[in-house]
Amino acid sequence: MSDAPPIPMSATLAADEALARRRAAGEQVLPMAGGEIGLPVLPALRERLAAAAHENAYGPVPGSHALRAAAAGYWGRRGLVTDPGLVVAGPGSKPLLFALLLAIGGDGVVVPVPSWVSYATQARLVGSRPLPVPIAPGQGGVPDPERLRTAVTAARAAGRDPRCVVVTLPDNPTGAVASPDTVRRLAAVARELDLVIVSDEIYCDLVYDTAVPAESPALHAPERTVVTTGLTKNLAVGGWRTGVARLPDSEAGRALHRRLVSVASQIWSSPPAPMQAAAAYAFGEPPEVTEHIAACRRLHETVVRAVAGRLTAAGALLAPVRATCYLYPDFEPLRARLAAAHRVSGGADLVRFLGERHGVGVLPAGAFGESGDPLRIRVATSRLYGEDDAQRSAALTAPDPPALPWIRKNLEQFGTALADLTGVRVPQS
């Protein structure tokens, strides 16, 4: 066999597997690295899946009409009028993103820094190269539009052919929501440079203040924006692997749709039929679904706020988290103290210290594309809600989830680890 370039394991999945091995060995671990959301499946959703278990035919490559129509309605209720004929479903938004990069082509994909761990790797897997562009402060998920223009112009002057920019609204890893002004400026620069925008909006239903939702670039550059989403985050069904993509209603968008369907036909043939039935029900947003998502959103917010309070009390810098279950604290103000007390000088050292001494699993900023190993980590709260469905269900309905004994215990373990790291007494309530 010829030597092939190394393909790294997804940082989030690798961290989850390492923590699972430690737990199986009897260690007390606190998993705060991966994006798995530990919540029970909505019973009505389980019923729809079970009722469709007999559906075993391939079906249309882009997905059933029922699913595509439901997804179109979902986007329409968010201000994005959508033709069901321009919706493509797949076995998760992650494969859809990969297939989109294949369909778009070119040799460069602009990715924000920091950004989700798989964007840059997926670009390399399709034979392209990531073109990293930093975000502006507080604008997580969207590369700074002016720096984007500079980077793409320079790449093209050097003979490269970048064709798309990937954004995340809301953002993983920072939990931020880019401002409407930043999104509008991104859309203008993308039009100027003739870039396709791939907008990963899988967290859009987890913005805490529902009166101020994340603004999609599809509102400002509809002719060139692809929007992707799925059920993994809002309904906490990561293992069900269902995603949908909304292609632009334009000549270029329809051509991209044809290429995407062709790619899908060669990779997954069609989405799993029973899952499509359940997803069509979910994207239809009946009251029980919207109520369940609202409960999940409240739970994420209350636990994120509790973790954020401990981080800032310990001296870390933390931008306001407006969505998701992620925090991205910066320990730079504590650099001298951490180096003197623990020989901690970067994110990798932080991960090692918290993991080895306290069983707390987090990820370094380097996993999200940051260079130079800064003193930043990504912290996820999504696995703190309970050890079984009974505890997790109680967390969803509790008036004060952080006060539940098992969540309080997790928060205390995290606070103890922070106090040991920083030498600062971290309040436990």
Side-chain angles (χ1 to χ4, degrees):
M1 293 179 65
S2 60
D3 290 337
I7 301 170
M9 179 76 170
S10 164
T12 52
L13 299 180
D16 278 347
E17 287 187 6
L19 289 169
R21 287 193 295 270
R22 292 178 62 180
R23 173 169 285 179
E27 295 183 50
Q28 183 178 357
V29 298
L30 191 62
M32 303 182 75
E36 177 83 45
I37 295 178
L39 289 171
V41 178
L42 178 68
L45 198 59
R46 290 202 307 264
E47 293 165 6
R48 293 307 189 285
L49 181 63
H54 66 282
E55 298 186 18
N56 62 348
Y58 282 121
V61 173
S64 69
H65 176 74
L67 173 53
R68 289 182 286 113
Y74 170 91
W75 277 308
R77 290 185 290 276
R78 287 153 179 79
L80 300 176
V81 176
T82 301
D83 177 358
L86 290 172
V87 174
V88 177
S93 61
K94 196 172 186 177
L96 274 172
L97 288 164
F98 178 70
L100 276 164
L101 296 184
L102 279 171
I104 291 167
D107 68 3
V109 178
V110 178
V111 296
V113 178
S115 63
W116 178 55
V117 298
S118 289
Y119 294 144
T121 300
Q122 285 196 350
R124 295 186 184 98
L125 285 172
V126 302
S128 184
R129 281 189 290 169
L131 187 61
V133 176
I135 64 170
Q139 303 301 306
V142 177
D144 180 87
E146 283 66 43
R147 298 175 81 166
L148 167 63
R149 179 190 289 112
T150 300
V152 171
T153 301
R156 287 176 174 168
R160 293 182 59 186
D161 183 26
R163 296 185 189 177
C164 76
V165 52
V166 180
V167 302
T168 315
L169 291 156
D171 183 41
N172 171 13
T174 68
V177 179
S179 70
D181 178 65
T182 294
V183 175
R184 283 192 290 269
R185 289 188 293 117
L186 168 85
V189 171
R191 182 175 288 129
E192 172 192 329
L193 298 174
D194 193 24
L195 293 173
V196 175
I197 303 170
V198 178
S199 187
D200 181 352
E201 300 181 12
I202 199 163
Y203 294 100
C204 74
D205 292 334
L206 298 182
V207 179
Y208 304 148
D209 186 351
T210 56
V212 189
E215 192 160 298
S216 175
L219 294 170
H220 306 291
E223 80 287 356
R224 65 185 58 253
T225 301
V226 180
V227 179
T228 66
T229 191
L231 306 179
T232 300
K233 305 304 179 182
N234 63 353
L235 283 167
V237 287
W240 287 22
R241 311 311 302 145
T242 299
V244 287
R246 175 191 185 273
L247 281 295
D249 192 359
S250 63
E251 183 178 350
R254 286 185 285 276
L256 179 57
H257 174 270
R258 290 191 292 272
R259 291 195 297 274
L260 177 60
V261 172
S262 294
V263 170
S265 75
Q266 299 292 355
I267 298 177
W268 61 77
S269 299
S270 63
M275 280 307 316
Q276 291 188 68
Y281 157 77
F283 282 119
E285 299 185 288
E288 58 270 25
V289 167
T290 57
E291 290 166 8
H292 185 74
I293 292 172
C296 295
R297 188 167 52 237
R298 286 192 300 270
L299 175 58
H300 295 322
E301 181 178 10
T302 56
V303 178
V304 161
R305 300 284 184 231
V307 171
R310 285 158 173 80
L311 285 163
T312 55
L317 296 176
L318 187 65
V321 179
R322 290 186 51 207
T324 77
C325 48
Y326 304 124
L327 305 97
Y328 201 63
D330 188 346
F331 289 81
E332 184 60 33
L334 303 170
R335 177 173 290 277
R337 182 186 304 174
L338 297 181
H342 306 296
R343 296 184 180 178
V344 166
S345 59
D349 291 337
L350 284 170
V351 170
R352 209 160 30 244
F353 179 93
L354 293 171
E356 291 177 359
R357 288 183 54 154
H358 295 279
V360 176
V362 295
L363 288 176
F368 301 92
E370 299 240 40
S371 60
D373 195 23
L375 272 168
R376 285 190 287 277
I377 54 176
R378 206 280 306 266
V379 177
T381 66
S382 52
R383 299 288 289 277
L384 306 186
Y385 307 144
E387 294 295 325
D388 53 40
D389 277 356
Q391 289 187 347
R392 295 164 189 151
S393 295
L396 277 171
T397 58
D400 183 16
L404 292 171
W406 54 91
I407 297 181
R408 185 174 66 245
K409 177 184 176 183
N410 290 334
L411 293 173
E412 287 173 354
Q413 183 178 348
F414 185 64
T416 298
L418 287 177
D420 184 28
L421 173 70
T422 64
V424 176
R425 183 178 178 275
V426 178
Q428 296 293 351
S429 61

